[in-house]
Amino acid sequence: MSRTPKNFLDDIRGCCPDHILAYMTKHPPRRRASHVSDFIQLAHQLDPEWHKRPGIITAACRKFLYRRRTEIAEGKEQPVKEVTVISDYQAVRSYLSKLQKAKKLPSDTLLPPVPRSSDVFSEKECNILGYLSLADAVQAPSLEAALNDIAQQIEQHRQIILAKCKKIVIDGYHEFSKTQEMIKRSDIEEIRKTTDNLDPTMQSRYGQNLSYFSHSHPNGFINLVAYIAEEQGGLYTRKSFPGAHHAHSWSTSKIKKHLGITDDFAVAAMCIIVDELGINVTDLCNAKVQKTRDGEFIAIREDGSVTITTLKPRANALKQRHAPRTIDPDDVTADNIDANIVLCMLLEMRSLHAKTLTSNYLFAMDSSSKTRASETEAYRMLGARRKAAFKEIIKSLPSWVIEAQPTMPKIRVSRGLLKWLESGGDALSASIYLGNSLLTALRNYIPPEIQEFVHRKKLRDHQNIMLFVSDGLSAADSDKTNNTNNTQNIAKEQLIALVKNLQRNNRMTGTNEAHRLIYFLCSAKTIELIVSYAKYGNDRDLIKTCKSIIIKIEDEGSRKMIKMLADAIPRDMSFEFIEEIMNEKA
């Protein structure tokens, strides 16, 4: 089915000769038809005989790019993004090339190449939480400061958004969990005996029988919730039953919280799941519960863990994510709730609507419109609805969060970047989280400038570490009783030296990147200690330094060093002697 607008040919009919028009009628543009139309009209303005003059076509291409860059994005108060401009021009250029090959345009026409974005960081920055610019990062006193500023900016915005989402989910589930008790306390059995939903035992001040759903009825609210849940399949539709109008006086949004997934609950739940599991927002919206022909499904395992398998359309592949059970559902709070608990809540809350609508979507929801058979697509979290609900959540946050214009996809991309930074630039950890190939993760999600920062830091860290091996403190020797205390003391002294070195570096400011060399004496005990601290330690800077030494040994160490590293087993030991040094005043 063609996506070409119906009025496409009408718009260009007077701007090109019949033979080109006939070709375009038979072979219309497959994408960006409106921009192809804009280009032809622009070229015609420059010269009515544009299709015969290569110079005019080339000039029109350049002018199209200029105009597109200066246009304001539809529905926004900012220019069109550079990547959008490039994509639009790429489609136009591709179609012009097609006309060239069909001999409808001069063969010697020079079509300007598709430009590369000259501001990749700014474009990628638009996909990251916060508003730190490349200029800010460059002004940082050191590489560490630049990378830390970026990470802290992301973390600051991420935490406040997730805290709000977690509260919405906890509060929403708390309201939903009251529903069964409300049904038990309601007059649902008495209501079923009537045809007009009027209570024969209660009259209004005008002498009329009172509606079971009226504000004046002592059980009005719980009766309405119980009736919609039991008799309407959990779906509320205006004028669908006697007394339905009372829902507006009680607030339909308040009622829907007791019947299933609401818009704000769905979006808040998505944010938590996306942040932890790295699922693409659109893929999560389309998630199915029962196994489909394509292989999509969600399952709760015997150990309480949840497996969610979604379809990634562009890659035409299934992506499976695993959310382990880490906390008891009875102990869940807004501070410790995770993707596992959220998915279990969603599966429980969707059940009534899913049954009524015969929907397999995870986010089966009420749309407040008349139920249309076999149209389950309308009763789920669609794009516009999702974006509107997310905007409402963000509006309740501080102005500095709103001004940074966060979006749901930014949460996923930002967490992927954080994982990449925390791993010291390990693309594998980011690609596993994002569910993309290594190349795609680096190309589309990690800004090149940040990649360069991390690369330079790796080089400098390697250059600042000098490795030595102690021949008298081999792995075998360290097990002997008479050497045990000695090797342990040397190992401790090594780690203390690292701490003091970091403290000196932290006090140094300026842009000269001056750092003291780290001299590390390799033995079985010293390597075991840094491996243990890298896994179980608390100080972030010291953990990074320990990891840098480990990488240095892996990359440049002797066979003896590498063997000692391979034999080292991390132990969860006491690091009190390190904490004492860290707490000392400079």
Side-chain angles (χ1 to χ4, degrees), residues 151-444:
Q152 288 171 10
Q153 183 87 193
I154 292 172
E155 195 62 44
Q156 186 180 22
H157 286 253
R158 173 179 163 267
Q159 288 295 344
I160 195 168
I161 293 170
L162 288 178
K164 179 67 178 179
C165 290
K166 289 177 179 180
K167 186 177 187 309
I168 289 172
V169 169
I170 288 291
D171 293 346
Y173 184 74
H174 179 69
E175 290 299 309
F176 175 79
S177 61
K178 297 177 183 177
T179 306
Q180 291 305 312
E181 183 60 32
M182 292 169 69
I183 293 173
K184 290 177 183 177
R185 292 190 290 109
S186 71
D187 303 314
I188 188 65
E189 295 301 329
E190 298 302 318
I191 296 172
R192 285 171 175 156
K193 296 175 184 177
T194 70
T195 57
D196 52 12
N197 297 335
L198 297 178
D199 188 344
T201 65
M202 298 189 71
Q203 282 80 37
S204 67
R205 57 182 176 176
Y206 302 109
Q208 298 173 330
N209 287 345
L210 202 63
S211 171
Y212 276 106
F213 314 135
S214 170
H215 249 286
S216 302
H217 197 287
N219 288 339
F221 182 73
I222 63 173
N223 283 341
L224 188 54
V225 171
Y227 185 82
I228 296 174
E230 296 288 301
E231 302 298 318
Q232 301 292 310
L235 302 176
Y236 168 73
T237 308
R238 293 176 65 246
K239 301 180 181 180
S240 58
F241 58 88
H245 61 281
H246 288 292
H248 294 282
S249 60
W250 287 111
S251 170
T252 54
S253 61
K254 186 179 176 183
I255 293 167
K256 287 181 179 180
K257 289 180 180 180
H258 296 279
L259 300 171
I261 302 171
T262 59
D263 287 17
D264 61 338
F265 185 96
V267 167
M270 282 182 188
C271 290
I272 297 169
I273 296 168
V274 165
D275 177 77
E276 183 175 331
L277 302 183
I279 302 175
N280 183 287
V281 177
T282 304
D283 297 347
L284 182 58
C285 286
N286 296 329
K288 313 292 195 309
V289 176
Q290 302 298 324
K291 193 163 187 176
T292 66
R293 185 170 54 187
D294 293 324
E296 302 167 89
F297 72 94
I298 300 174
I300 300 178
R301 305 300 182 187
E302 290 182 2
D303 60 356
S305 62
V306 179
T307 297
I308 175 169
T309 303
T310 56
L311 182 65
K312 202 170 181 67
R314 283 187 294 182
N316 193 27
L318 291 171
K319 296 293 178 180
Q320 189 172 97
R321 308 298 174 111
H322 187 67
R325 172 64 57 84
T326 57
I327 52 176
D328 190 314
D330 295 331
D331 298 330
V332 174
T333 65
D335 295 324
N336 63 12
I337 189 170
D338 59 10
N340 175 280
I341 297 296
V342 172
L343 283 166
C344 291
M345 288 178 174
L346 287 168
L347 290 170
E348 180 184 350
M349 294 174 69
R350 71 175 287 277
S351 57
L352 181 58
H353 289 154
K355 182 181 178 181
T356 305
L357 298 165
T358 60
S359 172
N360 194 26
Y361 285 106
L362 173 62
F363 292 94
M365 302 166 64
D366 185 5
S367 68
S368 290
S369 60
K370 189 174 181 180
T371 307
R372 299 186 293 276
S374 303
E375 291 191 24
T376 56
E377 290 280 338
Y379 300 93
R380 63 187 183 93
M381 183 52 75
L382 297 169
R385 190 174 177 182
R386 170 180 61 79
K387 291 174 185 176
F390 183 76
K391 268 188 179 178
E392 288 303 312
I393 292 174
I394 297 302
K395 280 182 182 177
S396 65
L397 299 177
S399 58
W400 54 269
V401 180
I402 301 171
E403 289 166 4
Q405 300 180 340
T407 63
M408 291 178 70
K410 285 183 182 181
I411 294 174
R412 173 175 173 261
V413 176
S414 298
R415 186 67 188 277
L417 179 57
L418 276 179
K419 285 184 175 292
W420 185 78
L421 289 172
E422 288 167 0
S423 65
D426 180 10
L428 182 60
S429 62
S431 69
I432 290 173
Y433 169 80
L434 293 166
N436 297 108
S437 66
L438 289 170
L439 181 61
T440 301
L442 286 172
R443 184 180 60 202
N444 294 347

Side-chain angles (χ1 to χ4, degrees), residues 122-143:
S122 292
E123 187 56 44
K124 292 297 180 185
E125 184 193 1
C126 293
N127 295 326
I128 298 171
L129 293 173
Y131 41 81
L132 188 72
S133 67
L134 179 59
D136 297 325
V138 170
Q139 294 301 317
S142 66
L143 286 173

Side-chain angles (χ1 to χ4, degrees), residues 4-173:
T4 307
K6 292 180 180 178
N7 61 346
F8 170 70
L9 294 173
D10 294 335
D11 292 340
I12 63 171
R13 201 173 295 279
C15 301
C16 53
D18 292 340
H19 69 283
I20 293 181
L21 195 64
Y23 179 85
M24 296 179 78
T25 303
K26 192 174 181 180
H27 307 283
R30 292 186 178 181
R31 51 190 289 265
R32 305 288 207 282
S34 61
H35 295 302
V36 174
S37 173
D38 291 342
F39 172 84
I40 291 173
Q41 293 176 64
L42 175 61
H44 185 264
Q45 289 173 8
L46 294 177
D47 190 328
E49 298 292 315
W50 64 272
H51 53 279
K52 297 179 181 178
R53 302 184 59 187
I56 295 297
I57 297 173
T58 303
C61 287
R62 294 196 173 104
K63 193 159 188 178
F64 173 86
L65 270 170
Y66 173 77
R67 281 194 179 182
R68 194 75 184 105
R69 281 174 170 141
T70 56
E71 287 177 0
I72 302 298
E74 188 176 347
K76 300 180 181 179
E77 296 181 357
Q78 55 189 5
V80 176
K81 288 184 177 181
E82 179 69 7
V83 288
T84 305
V85 173
I86 291 172
S87 181
D88 293 343
Y89 175 68
Q90 193 170 23
V92 171
R93 187 181 186 278
S94 176
Y95 193 72
L96 291 175
S97 179
K98 188 175 180 179
L99 289 173
Q100 246 184 331
K101 289 176 182 176
K103 299 183 178 180
K104 306 301 177 185
L105 295 178
S107 59
D108 58 343
T109 301
L110 174 64
L111 301 177
V114 177
R116 290 174 175 262
S117 174
S118 59
D119 195 10
V120 180
F121 187 90
S122 292
E123 187 56 44
K124 292 297 180 185
E125 184 193 1
C126 293
N127 295 326
I128 298 171
L129 293 173
Y131 41 81
L132 188 72
S133 67
L134 179 59
D136 297 325
V138 170
Q139 294 301 317
S142 66
L143 286 173
E144 283 87 351
L147 294 171
N148 286 339
D149 285 347
I150 293 168
Q152 288 171 10
Q153 183 87 193
I154 292 172
E155 195 62 44
Q156 186 180 22
H157 286 253
R158 173 179 163 267
Q159 288 295 344
I160 195 168
I161 293 170
L162 288 178
K164 179 67 178 179
C165 290
K166 289 177 179 180
K167 186 177 187 309
I168 289 172
V169 169
I170 288 291
D171 293 346
Y173 184 74

